[in-house]
């Protein structure tokens, strides 16, 4: 199992393909953009997945919420997804995402959103005396 940050802005297609080729399951964390992080872990210019016009259009087309589209997109890719919610209503909506069947056009439109953009940038691991730098935190 490889648990990595995955969402339309950070699709990590090469990694997903490598894992698939080597029978390694992939679990997507931060599938909705991890919007509930503390301010100290949030970038000032952060992009919103839930407000992206492509996601909104697909959600309207399928009569789903934007979050359901983001979760369903990962499931349509054959990945495991772990959205965080303590709200029972949202948990039920998250589970209902498994019924979403996206068209090839929907999948292509979402694929076009890839920006190699991380919400969890890794700066919190870069502290004095640590062997980690922003250059070596992520193997890219």
């Amino acid at each position: 199992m490889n648990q990595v940050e995955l969402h339309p802005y950070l699709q990590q297609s090469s990694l997903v393909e490598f894992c698939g080729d080597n029978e390694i399951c992939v679990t997507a964390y931060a599938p909705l953009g991890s919007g509930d992080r503390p301010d100290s872990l949030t970038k000032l210019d952060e992009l919103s997945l839930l407000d992206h016009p492509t996601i909104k259009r697909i959600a309207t087309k399928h009569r789903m919420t934007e979050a359901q589209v983001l979760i369903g997109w990962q499931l349509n890719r054959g990945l495991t997804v772990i959205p965080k919610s303590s709200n029972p209503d949202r948990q039920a909506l998250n589970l209902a995402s498994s019924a979403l069947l996206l068209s090839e056009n929907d999948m292509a439109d979402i694929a076009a959103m890839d920006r190699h953009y991380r919400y969890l940038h890794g700066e919190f691991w870069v502290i004095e005396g640590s062997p980690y730098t922003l250059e070596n935190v992520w193997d890219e």
Side-chain angles (χ1 to χ4, degrees), residues 4 6 12 19 30 32 34 48 62-63 99 118:
V4 296
L6 281 174
Q12 303 209 56
C19 289
L32 308 180
S34 193
S48 171
H62 291 280
R63 296 186 178 126
R118 289 186 184 278

Side-chain angles (χ1 to χ4, degrees), residues 53-112:
T54 297
I55 300 301
K56 288 185 161 298
R57 179 181 49 74
I58 294 170
T60 299
K61 172 184 167 184
H62 291 280
R63 296 186 178 126
M64 294 274 199
T65 68
E66 289 81 0
Q68 287 177 305
V69 169
L70 293 167
I71 294 165
W73 171 73
Q74 300 283 15
L75 296 173
N76 278 247
R77 294 176 80 196
L79 305 178
T80 302
V81 94
I82 49 173
K84 176 185 167 191
S85 181
S86 57
N87 179 307
D89 292 333
R90 280 197 217 115
Q91 290 172 352
L93 288 170
N94 291 349
L95 286 172
S97 302
S98 64
L100 177 61
L101 296 175
L102 295 172
S103 71
E104 286 183 32
N105 287 339
D106 293 336
M107 294 297 286
D109 289 347
I110 295 172

Side-chain angles (χ1 to χ4, degrees), residues 5-57:
E5 181 178 350
L6 281 174
H7 44 73
Y9 291 153
L10 184 67
Q11 297 181 22
Q12 303 209 56
S13 297
S14 296
L15 176 66
V16 169
E17 182 179 345
F18 173 85
C19 289
D21 290 347
N22 290 279
E23 299 182 11
I24 300 167
C25 294
V26 174
T27 297
Y29 71 76
L32 308 180
S34 193
D36 64 341
R37 283 170 289 123
D39 289 343
S40 63
L41 299 178
T42 304
K43 300 175 191 175
L44 293 176
D45 60 347
E46 202 153 86
L47 304 171
S48 171
L49 281 167
L50 296 169
D51 292 328
H52 194 282
T54 297
I55 300 301
K56 288 185 161 298
R57 179 181 49 74

Side-chain angles (χ1 to χ4, degrees), residues 118-131:
R118 289 186 184 278
Y119 286 101
L120 302 168
H121 45 75
E123 290 176 0
F124 50 90
W125 285 312
V126 180
I127 57 175
E128 189 173 331
S130 168

